[in-house]
Amino acid sequence: MGITIFFMIISIIVIIATVILVRKNNRLYNYKPQSKKSIKKQKKDIKNIWGIEKIKNNEIFANGKYSIIIELGSIEYRLLNDEEQTLIDNALIKISKTLSFNMQFFSTIVRVDTNKKIEEIRNNIKNQNNEKMKDYGEALIEYLESIMEEEDLFVRKNYLILSSYEEKNELKEYYFNTLKVELSKIKITSKLLTDVGIIELLHREFNKNSEESIESIVRNGGMDFYVEKKEKGTENIIKN
């Protein structure tokens, strides 16, 4: 009799424990979809897509340091004579001695895009009274549009990335006052990427197989860290 009562008590405990575990598992199961749903509802922005805290005034702030990206022109070094090559070598050595920042070189290939040039030509044609110049402009537009139809037409882009942990404009000051001047002496063009230029480069390189549109992200508030609150709750977009 005592054994029977003992086993009945054990059975009741097992049943109660099973019910508690099932309810607990059901709560966990019901919670997971809500968690995923909340993640999907998060607004996409530059910070949670790429882990970048801020892109402002032509600088990137990420992982506690500031960086600028400089697009570099190229020279046909192998086509130069020995004297010209020596001149370039010495200039680059001089530049390297002035560098006190973390430095990275980056190269990529991008598809040739002539849309901006086409738009410039169209705008110039509108102001032309010379019919021959208009015909020449139209022919040039047609040629540039034909170039865009080539699927395997790419150009190489070279970039220099300078980084510093100091919260100053020293990166840009070094570029404009020293680096750009020294590079121009050896006929190497350079251009500091703007905020939009940085975003376009990052999007192109990090999302080569993505169908996400950077224009869509920006249009839907993906660059909210550019917005400053003014008085009475109005907003002002920070511009360079």
Side-chain angles (χ1 to χ4, degrees):
M1 184 67 177
I3 295 175
T4 303
I5 294 173
F6 174 77
F7 279 109
M8 287 179 63
I9 293 172
I10 293 297
S11 298
I12 293 171
I13 293 173
V14 171
I15 292 171
I16 294 173
T18 302
V19 171
I20 293 173
L21 288 173
V22 169
R23 288 181 177 178
K24 185 177 181 181
N25 288 336
N26 285 340
R27 285 198 297 270
L28 291 173
Y29 177 79
N30 291 332
Y31 175 76
K32 288 179 181 180
Q34 293 175 357
S35 178
K36 291 180 180 179
K37 186 176 180 180
S38 65
I39 292 174
K40 289 181 179 180
K41 282 186 175 181
Q42 288 181 356
K43 184 168 64 176
K44 294 178 180 177
D45 60 29
I46 304 302
K47 182 176 179 180
N48 61 38
I49 291 175
W50 293 326
I52 295 173
E53 292 290 333
K54 181 170 60 176
I55 300 176
K56 179 181 175 183
N57 296 331
N58 308 336
E59 290 182 325
I60 303 171
F61 181 69
N63 301 319
K65 63 182 178 181
Y66 291 84
S67 300
I68 61 173
I69 303 178
I70 302 161
E71 183 178 335
L72 298 174
S74 58
I75 53 175
E76 293 294 340
Y77 185 82
R78 290 174 296 180
L79 300 180
L80 302 177
N81 58 43
D82 292 341
E83 184 179 350
E84 291 171 329
Q85 290 182 358
T86 300
L87 180 64
I88 290 175
D89 292 341
N90 291 336
L92 293 177
I93 292 172
K94 180 181 178 181
I95 291 172
S96 66
K97 290 180 178 180
T98 66
L99 276 170
S100 59
F101 309 105
N102 293 329
M103 176 181 64
Q104 290 177 296
F105 286 99
F106 170 68
S107 294
T108 186
I109 56 172
V110 296
R111 196 165 181 270
V112 172
D113 187 351
T114 61
N115 284 321
K116 290 183 179 179
K117 291 297 180 183
I118 290 174
E119 188 64 26
E120 289 177 8
I121 294 171
R122 284 204 173 104
N123 291 334
N124 289 331
I125 288 177
K126 293 177 183 178
N127 300 323
Q128 282 289 339
N129 295 322
N130 191 319
E131 291 300 324
K132 289 185 178 180
M133 291 298 296
K134 287 184 177 181
D135 292 341
Y136 175 74
E138 292 293 344
L140 190 54
I141 289 174
E142 185 177 348
Y143 172 72
L144 293 175
E145 287 176 340
S146 68
I147 290 178
M148 288 288 292
E149 295 176 359
E150 297 289 337
E151 296 183 357
D152 57 349
L153 193 59
F154 293 86
V155 62
R156 179 173 293 279
K157 295 281 188 178
N158 301 305
Y159 300 93
L160 172 62
I161 304 171
L162 298 180
S163 302
S164 172
Y165 287 95
E166 298 293 331
E167 190 174 357
K168 299 177 181 178
N169 288 325
E170 58 179 1
L171 291 170
K172 289 183 287 186
E173 288 176 359
Y174 170 75
Y175 168 67
F176 287 113
N177 297 334
T178 303
L179 183 59
K180 185 175 184 179
V181 175
E182 294 299 327
L183 289 174
S184 65
K185 291 179 180 178
I186 52 176
K187 310 301 181 183
I188 296 179
T189 60
S190 63
K191 180 179 70 174
L192 181 66
L193 292 193
T194 63
D195 298 343
V196 175
I198 292 170
I199 293 171
E200 288 178 348
L201 174 62
L202 294 176
H203 178 70
R204 186 171 65 241
E205 295 304 312
F206 292 167
N207 302 274
K208 288 183 180 295
N209 298 319
S210 172
E211 296 181 358
E212 188 70 74
S213 169
I214 190 65
E215 292 182 355
S216 175
I217 294 173
V218 173
R219 187 168 55 250
N220 289 286
M223 294 174 67
D224 282 347
F225 49 80
Y226 279 89
V227 179
E228 282 187 333
K229 294 292 182 180
K230 294 175 66 179
E231 294 181 0
K232 298 181 180 180
T234 58
E235 295 179 346
N236 178 42
I237 302 298
I238 298 176
K239 297 182 181 179
N240 296 332

